[in-house]
mmCIF file of all heavy atoms in Angstrom:
data_model
loop_
_atom_site.group_PDB
_atom_site.id
_atom_site.type_symbol
_atom_site.label_atom_id
_atom_site.label_comp_id
_atom_site.label_asym_id
_atom_site.label_seq_id
_atom_site.Cartn_x
_atom_site.Cartn_y
_atom_site.Cartn_z
ATOM 1 N N LEU A 323 99.812 72.367 137.614
ATOM 2 C CA LEU A 323 99.454 71.454 138.696
ATOM 3 C C LEU A 323 100.233 70.148 138.597
ATOM 4 O O LEU A 323 100.617 69.561 139.618
ATOM 5 C CB LEU A 323 97.947 71.192 138.683
ATOM 6 C CG LEU A 323 97.069 72.364 139.136
ATOM 7 C CD1 LEU A 323 95.599 72.048 138.910
ATOM 8 C CD2 LEU A 323 97.327 72.704 140.607
ATOM 9 N N LYS A 324 100.453 69.693 137.373
ATOM 10 C CA LYS A 324 101.240 68.476 137.178
ATOM 11 C C LYS A 324 102.676 68.684 137.654
ATOM 12 O O LYS A 324 103.262 67.815 138.329
ATOM 13 C CB LYS A 324 101.221 68.083 135.699
ATOM 14 C CG LYS A 324 101.973 66.785 135.386
ATOM 15 C CD LYS A 324 101.337 65.596 136.090
ATOM 16 C CE LYS A 324 102.040 64.305 135.722
ATOM 17 N NZ LYS A 324 101.471 63.138 136.450
ATOM 18 N N LYS A 325 103.253 69.836 137.327
ATOM 19 C CA LYS A 325 104.607 70.155 137.780
ATOM 20 C C LYS A 325 104.667 70.195 139.303
ATOM 21 O O LYS A 325 105.615 69.702 139.916
ATOM 22 C CB LYS A 325 105.061 71.499 137.199
ATOM 23 C CG LYS A 325 105.431 71.453 135.727
ATOM 24 C CD LYS A 325 105.481 72.832 135.099
ATOM 25 C CE LYS A 325 106.407 73.787 135.798
ATOM 26 N NZ LYS A 325 106.450 75.119 135.136
ATOM 27 N N LEU A 326 103.638 70.775 139.910
ATOM 28 C CA LEU A 326 103.596 70.851 141.368
ATOM 29 C C LEU A 326 103.490 69.458 141.978
ATOM 30 O O LEU A 326 104.165 69.147 142.973
ATOM 31 C CB LEU A 326 102.411 71.717 141.807
ATOM 32 C CG LEU A 326 102.162 71.825 143.310
ATOM 33 C CD1 LEU A 326 103.388 72.389 144.021
ATOM 34 C CD2 LEU A 326 100.936 72.685 143.580
ATOM 35 N N GLU A 327 102.662 68.609 141.368
ATOM 36 C CA GLU A 327 102.497 67.242 141.855
ATOM 37 C C GLU A 327 103.821 66.479 141.809
ATOM 38 O O GLU A 327 104.191 65.776 142.760
ATOM 39 C CB GLU A 327 101.445 66.517 141.017
ATOM 40 C CG GLU A 327 101.163 65.095 141.471
ATOM 41 C CD GLU A 327 100.165 64.397 140.564
ATOM 42 O OE1 GLU A 327 99.523 65.066 139.728
ATOM 43 O OE2 GLU A 327 100.042 63.153 140.682
ATOM 44 N N VAL A 328 104.560 66.634 140.716
ATOM 45 C CA VAL A 328 105.850 65.960 140.572
ATOM 46 C C VAL A 328 106.833 66.468 141.624
ATOM 47 O O VAL A 328 107.544 65.683 142.262
ATOM 48 C CB VAL A 328 106.411 66.172 139.153
ATOM 49 C CG1 VAL A 328 107.857 65.686 139.062
ATOM 50 C CG2 VAL A 328 105.544 65.454 138.115
ATOM 51 N N ARG A 329 106.885 67.777 141.813
ATOM 52 C CA ARG A 329 107.800 68.353 142.791
ATOM 53 C C ARG A 329 107.465 67.890 144.209
ATOM 54 O O ARG A 329 108.355 67.592 145.006
ATOM 55 C CB ARG A 329 107.768 69.883 142.719
ATOM 56 C CG ARG A 329 108.397 70.454 141.459
ATOM 57 C CD ARG A 329 108.302 71.972 141.406
ATOM 58 N NE ARG A 329 109.038 72.596 142.491
ATOM 59 C CZ ARG A 329 108.506 73.416 143.393
ATOM 60 N NH1 ARG A 329 107.209 73.691 143.345
ATOM 61 N NH2 ARG A 329 109.246 73.955 144.339
ATOM 62 N N LEU A 330 106.159 67.839 144.540
ATOM 63 C CA LEU A 330 105.752 67.390 145.864
ATOM 64 C C LEU A 330 106.130 65.929 146.083
ATOM 65 O O LEU A 330 106.569 65.540 147.186
ATOM 66 C CB LEU A 330 104.241 67.587 146.039
ATOM 67 C CG LEU A 330 103.760 69.039 146.179
ATOM 68 C CD1 LEU A 330 102.240 69.100 146.122
ATOM 69 C CD2 LEU A 330 104.275 69.661 147.473
ATOM 70 N N SER A 331 105.957 65.113 145.030
ATOM 71 C CA SER A 331 106.313 63.697 145.127
ATOM 72 C C SER A 331 107.815 63.527 145.335
ATOM 73 O O SER A 331 108.257 62.730 146.179
ATOM 74 C CB SER A 331 105.875 62.960 143.857
ATOM 75 O OG SER A 331 106.256 61.609 143.896
ATOM 76 N N GLU A 332 108.608 64.294 144.584
ATOM 77 C CA GLU A 332 110.063 64.225 144.730
ATOM 78 C C GLU A 332 110.497 64.678 146.117
ATOM 79 O O GLU A 332 111.389 64.085 146.741
ATOM 80 C CB GLU A 332 110.732 65.086 143.655
ATOM 81 C CG GLU A 332 110.580 64.531 142.238
ATOM 82 C CD GLU A 332 111.132 65.476 141.194
ATOM 83 O OE1 GLU A 332 111.417 66.652 141.547
ATOM 84 O OE2 GLU A 332 111.284 65.062 140.023
ATOM 85 N N LYS A 333 109.845 65.713 146.611
ATOM 86 C CA LYS A 333 110.185 66.226 147.945
ATOM 87 C C LYS A 333 109.840 65.197 149.014
ATOM 88 O O LYS A 333 110.594 65.005 149.986
ATOM 89 C CB LYS A 333 109.439 67.530 148.216
ATOM 90 C CG LYS A 333 109.848 68.216 149.519
ATOM 91 C CD LYS A 333 109.171 69.573 149.648
ATOM 92 C CE LYS A 333 109.661 70.325 150.879
ATOM 93 N NZ LYS A 333 109.318 69.639 152.134
ATOM 94 N N ALA A 334 108.701 64.513 148.841
ATOM 95 C CA ALA A 334 108.307 63.492 149.811
ATOM 96 C C ALA A 334 109.328 62.359 149.854
ATOM 97 O O ALA A 334 109.685 61.866 150.936
ATOM 98 C CB ALA A 334 106.919 62.956 149.453
#
Side-chain angles (χ1 to χ4, degrees):
L323 288 173
K324 182 63 177 177
K325 285 163 56 179
L326 176 58
E327 182 183 348
V328 170
R329 290 178 63 238
L330 289 171
S331 177
E332 291 174 348
K333 186 174 185 296

